[in-house]
Amino acid sequence: MSKFSKRIKQSWKCLLHGPAPASAPVDLFTILNMAWAGQAVFVATKFGIVDHLASGPKSVAELARLTGAGEAHLQQIMRALASWEVFARDESGRYRLTPLSEPLVTERSSWLRYYVLIWGEQYYPAAGQMLEMMRSGRTGYELAHGEPAWKHTKIAPETLKLFVDFMSSVTDTQCEAVAGAFDFTPYRSVVDVGGGRASLISAVLLANPHLRGTIVDLPYMEGPVGERLSRSNLSDRCTFAGGSFLESVPAGADVYMIKHVLHDWSDTEVPKILGNISAAMTDESVLIIVEGVLDDSNGADRVLKLQDLERMFLTGGKGRTRGEFESLLRGAGLQLQEIRRTTSPDSCLLIARKRR
Ligand SMILES: C[S@@+](CC[C@H](N)C(=O)[O-])C[C@H]1O[C@@H](n2cnc3c(N)ncnc32)[C@H](O)[C@@H]1O
């Protein structure tokens, strides 16, 4: 495998399997040109090129005929991606999938396929608004799509579907590791704040048959959550509480979880969310924040810091260091007790309790 392809593979895998090693610096020209590579991957996935290659190697002419893509442009896209080992070309000029592109086949329903699609449809246009974002104070997402992210998902069903598929496919790959990193045995009830399509709480409830659960999320998530709970035979052990965690959170549960939510909010809103959770907690309740914990030092957490930019232009949110979490928790009357790492660097468990 070439040096280039190793590097791409590492950065794509690192979110789930570990941070990118401190490798030699990539030159600036290459960093800028990776945007074209990303677009080419998006086009090849969206246009069905990847799916057609799943049934065997094909020439550009065959792929153009099968998909309706312009042959000349497709030739350029395939040639460029093959040079980065996203595809491989044989001596007869036919292309086939490689380990980099195999996860993008529709049937695999991988988080990476959903990420490529949401990246091309929603994130890339939002990233293109970063300069205007700095001037206007509105998020790149709002500038590109006309509405802030959570409002847009409410009014655009296709946007919501892609987001929910992406989010839950990511969480599905992480939830066992997260659920396994905390002993729920002494507890009876758990609330998942901003629980999305119930991926994490389902894993927790399935592994702990004595627990009952509640999911707090925006009211339009009721359908996807109900469908997921019923598929996992959990409808009688888990309820959906539609509403905003900026307003309130159901009170009195033993455990509160909040995964990949705080990074979508600024330092103005996070105190409200943590304040509402703190107000809902009893003196014995425990809070588990599941999120990446940024290492501020130069060269560390390179991919998490790019994800941090993504949060910034999508929602106005941010990644945080241990010290930043501690200070926000303190402001809400809570105290960080420990941080447990999992196999996913963006899913550490920050365990907090009420300050005594
Ligand atoms: C990035 S997703 C994380 C979902 C889930 N915790 C996971 O890790 O799969 C953020 C979730 O917060 C929800 N959300 C956004 N604003 C909210 C609000 N004001 N009140 C409740 N939920 C909200 C979204 O609908 C979405 O499901």
Side-chain angles (χ1 to χ4, degrees):
M1 190 184 291
S2 75
K3 220 168 43 183
F4 285 147
S5 103
K6 263 194 197 144
R7 201 173 289 154
I8 305 180
K9 202 169 176 190
Q10 278 159 356
S11 46
W12 282 10
K13 280 176 91 177
C14 68
L15 260 186
L16 294 178
H17 302 296
S23 47
V26 184
D27 66 87
L28 196 54
F29 189 74
T30 308
I31 289 176
L32 293 171
N33 276 259
M34 289 317 284
W36 320 154
Q39 276 294 334
V41 170
F42 167 61
V43 168
T45 307
K46 181 84 183 170
F47 236 89
I49 305 296
V50 168
D51 282 342
H52 283 295
L53 292 180
S55 58
K58 294 190 176 51
S59 67
V60 169
E62 278 174 283
L63 289 168
R65 187 167 40 74
L66 287 165
T67 60
E71 190 173 331
H73 288 157
L74 190 55
Q75 171 71 47
Q76 288 168 280
I77 283 178
M78 299 305 286
R79 184 175 60 188
L81 289 180
S83 75
W84 288 85
E85 297 182 29
V86 174
F87 300 120
R89 186 171 56 184
D90 66 22
E91 278 145 19
S92 67
R94 292 187 316 164
Y95 288 89
R96 60 177 166 74
L97 299 178
T98 66
L100 286 187
S101 47
E102 275 160 11
L104 305 182
V105 174
T106 303
E107 257 185 9
R108 300 268 294 261
S109 292
S110 76
W111 72 273
L112 196 52
R113 174 182 165 80
Y114 290 124
Y115 185 66
V116 167
L117 294 175
I118 205 166
W119 181 95
E121 289 175 18
Q122 298 175 29
Y123 296 3
Y124 190 88
Q129 295 296 325
M130 242 196 269
L131 185 63
E132 187 52 27
M133 182 189 81
M134 305 303 282
R135 294 190 183 115
S136 70
R138 295 161 76 205
T139 62
Y141 192 99
E142 183 179 359
L143 291 162
H145 300 290
E147 299 284 356
W150 303 123
K151 195 156 174 213
H152 192 226
T153 41
K154 180 177 173 189
I155 57 173
E158 280 311 304
T159 305
L160 174 64
K161 183 174 175 347
L162 182 54
F163 172 69
V164 168
D165 283 342
F166 165 59
M167 179 183 63
S168 49
S169 63
V170 171
T171 303
D172 283 344
T173 65
Q174 301 169 332
C175 58
E176 274 186 27
V178 171
F182 186 80
D183 181 10
F184 288 88
T185 317
Y187 304 104
R188 301 271 133 224
S189 55
V190 52
V191 173
D192 194 356
V193 181
R197 190 163 58 181
S199 302
L200 178 59
I201 206 163
S202 296
V204 167
L205 294 179
L206 289 172
N208 296 277
H210 66 285
L211 274 181
R212 298 191 69 80
T214 304
I215 292 194
V216 179
D217 209 295
L218 293 168
Y220 61 75
M221 288 296 291
E222 185 167 12
V225 168
E227 184 269 325
R228 174 65 188 258
L229 291 176
S230 124
R231 194 154 36 91
S232 307
N233 283 326
L234 288 170
S235 310
D236 55 342
R237 285 176 54 211
C238 190
T239 49
F240 178 76
S244 172
F245 48 53
L246 293 166
E247 303 296 324
S248 67
V249 170
D254 299 330
V255 182
Y256 288 83
M257 308 188 292
I258 183 161
K259 174 177 177 295
H260 292 180
V261 168
L262 298 181
H263 65 193
D264 283 330
W265 299 89
S266 73
D267 288 344
T268 310
E269 290 125 348
V270 167
K272 287 186 206 152
I273 302 170
L274 288 180
N276 288 338
I277 295 175
S278 179
M281 288 167 73
T282 68
D283 286 347
E284 279 68 47
S285 303
V286 58
L287 168 64
I288 308 171
I289 299 171
V290 183
E291 208 150 287
V293 179
L294 277 185
D295 177 344
D296 236 356
S297 43
N298 281 344
D301 287 346
R302 290 167 118 186
V303 177
L304 281 184
K305 284 170 189 162
L306 294 180
Q307 291 290 297
D308 179 39
L309 289 187
E310 192 179 280
R311 298 331 322 150
M312 177 186 78
F313 65 72
L314 290 180
T315 60
K318 59 187 283 203
R320 294 181 171 89
T321 61
R322 180 189 181 114
E324 288 171 326
F325 276 115
E326 277 174 335
S327 149
L328 287 163
L329 284 164
R330 210 175 308 119
L334 299 164
Q335 187 164 21
L336 179 65
Q337 293 201 312
E338 68 169 296
I339 296 180
R340 293 186 192 164
R341 309 262 160 199
T342 70
T343 43
S344 299
D346 71 342
S347 295
C348 305
L349 275 67
L350 294 103
I351 299 172
R353 291 181 188 270
K354 287 237 173 178
R355 205 141 40 90
R356 307 220 182 233

